[in-house]
Amino acid sequence: MAKKTAIKKRSVLKRPAKASSKASSGRKGAAAKPASKAATGKSTKPRRPSGPAWQWSAVETAAAIRSGAISAVETVEAHLERMRAVNPKLNAVVVDLSEGALKAAHGADKQRAKGGALGLLHGVPITIKENVDYEGRPNFNGVPANKGLIAPSDAPVVRNLKKAGAIVIGLTNTPEFSFRGFTDNPLHGLTLNPWDPDITCGGSSGGAGSAVAAGIGTIAHGNDIGGSLRWPAHCNGVATIKPTQGRIPAFNASAAAERPMLAHLMSAQGPLARHVADVRLALEAMSQRDPRDPWWVPAPLVGEKPKRPIKVALAKIPDDMDVDPAVAAALRQAADHLERSGYRVSEVEVPDINGVWQTWCDIITNETVVMQEAGMLKVTSEDFHRAWGGMKAKANVLDLKGWMQATAARNGHIRAWQSFFEDYPVVLAPTTVKPTPGPREDTVSAERAREIFWGEIRFISAINVLGLPGAVVPVALHDGKPIGVQLIAGRYREDLALDAAAAIEKRAGVLTHRLWQRMG
């Protein structure tokens, strides 16, 4: 059992002033239920959720389409109209699939009219990140030279979403080779954050985060090898889950070669959405088996209930990380929300977060240098070169023995964390300890890029080498910009991370409702 640490002057369990703005409570995630004929004695029409259709949650949207309160065509049209209204300023969606989406919506309505079972996301508009295969289209992954990589079939995650009835309205932007935490590339340009163009939308799923926050699609697909779901969720004020490796199948038939082993083991597909309930729904749809991924695991989506009250470890932040007061306030606020929801929160030293991050950095950097670096540098921009130089600056150069030692160390780190979860089933941790940086800040210098990954988002990137699930949920606004926190759980316990995220969301509200008031 990990010992509780004494609360020192840097402890986030101290109660600083709350972040400057409180989120609005927002609409609840469940769809309004029509009164039954038996209860009223009358025939009643299905009721629509309030507000424009593009503002509804995925749960509400799916229920409204299933009940006949709205058609799939009307739903898709509402999201396409929203995309046309806000995307020109954001550049979040870089491939417009309107024509195919409307055709699919007409088909969805015909299918519903025939009766029979409908998928979890029947008729629900979504977006896909432009770094997975979408049949018949180039898998650009932010690189103009990839124009010849035409996808012969849909990637498993795309196939699963379509099987669930989701309708893809567009493909979202990503940095070159999805290898930066900032979304910009020579092919499509810079994606902006809908809250403030002077801060990054994150990366590499920055287009996904920006789009879903702005109301383009109810769910956005993304992926994460060093924070690429959780970092954009934080930056854009939305929720996400980076699942356990093996939870959601992955494969790109367009790829010229198989991915290296550790890159595959540290990467995960996942959803971003405005509501935690939508993240959970999308996770279920995405998680279906696909034989093309040999690492897919048929694990249940809900595990054994832990002993109550559930103990949450508020991760003690290393002394060399300079924590902004607004971040400390948001962490305390999240801990308070959990306490009031019946959890028991204690500030605790988590197992060797610094060593875990260094193992992640060493493994991913050396694997990339050996397998991919030369090819990437030939076809990428100077911005990419600067950012990549900064990211790899803190990595140790490993020979074969060093590489084997690093992969062995990974096993030890995973074992330590799994043992830790026996006492604390959920860890509450920061996403970043600093305010959200500018949209191209990783290109300022190698030192600045290193500082961001090591000094600011250490708790995000480290989790990838462990293969653990991590959810992010918004907590508050500070100076008009969103702050999120991370909930980490044991392997294949996405349910515990999402339960804790939902408890925070219930009290913090849904931040994007504030954003829409500002955007109009």
Side-chain angles (χ1 to χ4, degrees):
M1 178 183 291
K3 287 185 177 180
K4 290 186 185 179
T5 57
I7 300 173
K8 299 180 181 179
K9 66 177 183 177
R10 291 168 54 85
S11 168
V12 293
L13 273 178
K14 289 186 178 180
R15 297 178 183 265
K18 288 185 178 180
S20 61
S21 300
K22 185 179 179 183
S24 64
S25 59
R27 188 193 303 110
K28 291 184 180 179
K33 293 182 179 179
S36 68
K37 293 179 185 179
T40 64
K42 299 177 182 178
S43 175
T44 57
K45 289 184 179 180
R47 291 173 55 192
R48 292 165 62 111
S50 61
W54 62 264
Q55 293 186 358
W56 303 349
S57 71
V59 171
E60 288 174 322
T61 303
I65 293 170
R66 190 174 294 111
S67 71
I70 191 172
S71 69
V73 169
E74 185 181 351
T75 305
V76 168
E77 285 176 340
H79 281 267
L80 294 178
E81 184 178 348
R82 180 63 176 173
M83 183 168 71
R84 288 189 289 269
V86 299
N87 193 61
K89 290 182 180 179
L90 299 176
N91 192 38
V93 175
V94 292
V95 177
D96 185 339
L97 297 177
S98 298
E99 186 177 344
L102 286 170
K103 183 178 179 181
H106 281 287
D109 287 335
K110 289 177 182 177
Q111 183 183 348
R112 181 190 171 277
K114 291 177 181 177
L118 302 178
L120 289 173
L121 297 172
H122 186 82
V124 175
I126 67 165
T127 60
I128 298 293
K129 183 177 176 182
E130 199 192 29
N131 74 341
V132 296
D133 280 358
Y134 198 89
E135 186 174 356
R137 299 202 60 86
N139 187 340
F140 276 112
N141 201 8
V143 180
N146 286 346
K147 63 183 179 181
L149 296 180
I150 307 300
S153 59
D154 287 334
V157 68
V158 177
R159 181 177 292 180
N160 281 343
L161 286 164
K162 287 182 177 180
K163 279 182 181 178
I167 295 176
V168 183
I169 61 173
L171 308 183
T172 56
N173 206 15
T174 187
E176 293 166 274
F177 287 109
S178 298
F179 237 84
R180 290 171 58 193
F182 298 74
T183 300
D184 185 22
N185 62 63
L187 180 65
H188 299 304
L190 178 69
T191 295
L192 299 182
N193 189 314
W195 292 91
D196 186 340
D198 292 329
I199 61 172
T200 182
C201 63
S204 62
S205 306
S210 176
V212 78
I216 305 170
T218 62
I219 294 163
H221 154 265
N223 31 51
D224 189 317
I225 197 170
S228 292
L229 283 162
R230 291 157 294 148
W231 176 229
H234 165 90
C235 295
N236 294 284
V238 297
T240 192
I241 184 77
K242 182 203 82 66
T244 311
Q245 191 282 323
R247 168 69 75 187
I248 297 174
F251 174 67
N252 284 325
S254 68
E258 294 282 353
R259 297 188 80 179
M261 183 178 70
L262 268 296
H264 196 109
L265 291 179
M266 294 194 296
S267 178
Q269 308 293 316
L272 299 101
R274 300 181 289 268
H275 300 254
V276 173
D278 294 351
V279 172
R280 200 187 298 267
L281 182 67
L283 177 66
E284 182 176 353
M286 290 177 168
S287 297
Q288 303 306 305
R289 175 183 178 272
D290 190 295
R292 294 173 292 174
D293 186 348
W295 297 100
W296 179 82
V297 176
L301 285 164
V302 178
E304 237 179 78
K305 290 184 178 179
K307 181 181 176 183
R308 304 288 171 146
I310 297 174
K311 293 169 67 178
V312 175
L314 174 56
K316 186 178 183 296
I317 299 173
D319 290 338
D320 66 329
M321 296 183 79
D322 184 18
V323 186
D324 187 87
V327 172
L331 282 165
R332 179 61 259 173
Q333 196 171 337
D336 285 347
H337 292 331
L338 289 172
E339 287 272 0
R340 289 173 184 151
S341 300
Y343 291 83
R344 293 293 175 265
V345 183
S346 304
E347 186 168 27
V348 175
E349 192 98 40
V350 297
D352 193 14
I353 192 67
N354 295 351
V356 171
W357 186 94
Q358 190 65 57
T359 301
W360 168 80
C361 184
D362 289 349
I363 287 176
I364 194 170
T365 301
N366 281 270
E367 197 170 73
T368 301
V369 167
V370 172
M371 302 292 289
Q372 298 169 279
E373 183 183 52
M376 291 196 305
L377 294 179
K378 286 180 182 178
V379 295
T380 47
S381 67
E382 287 303 314
D383 280 349
F384 177 91
H385 295 184
R386 281 192 291 271
W388 168 237
M391 283 188 279
K392 72 176 186 176
K394 202 172 185 306
N396 296 306
V397 177
L398 303 178
D399 58 13
L400 181 58
K401 181 179 179 181
W403 166 257
M404 291 179 175
Q405 289 171 333
T407 57
R410 174 180 180 267
N411 295 336
H413 288 309
I414 293 172
R415 186 176 299 109
W417 276 74
Q418 283 296 102
S419 298
F420 184 83
F421 288 125
E422 293 295 300
D423 295 318
Y424 295 92
V426 177
V427 172
L428 169 62
T431 48
T432 177
V433 298
K434 287 293 189 181
T436 303
R440 291 190 176 98
E441 196 140 344
D442 63 333
T443 65
V444 170
S445 66
E447 174 58 29
R448 181 65 184 119
R450 187 198 68 81
E451 182 181 69
I452 292 167
F453 278 86
W454 166 251
E456 298 180 15
I457 64 170
R458 192 181 308 174
F459 277 90
I460 291 182
S461 299
I463 301 309
N464 289 82
V465 77
L466 302 171
L468 297 172
V472 164
V473 64
V475 177
L477 297 178
H478 179 72
D479 290 338
K481 303 170 186 69
I483 299 177
V485 296
Q486 184 177 196
L487 290 311
I488 307 162
R491 291 172 68 80
Y492 301 104
R493 293 313 306 264
E494 290 86 355
D495 57 325
L496 295 181
L498 289 171
D499 286 346
I504 292 171
E505 179 188 76
K506 185 176 180 180
R507 296 180 180 276
V510 177
L511 294 190
T512 48
H513 296 158
R514 296 283 293 274
L515 171 64
W516 298 338
Q517 292 170 8
R518 186 187 303 178
M519 293 179 72

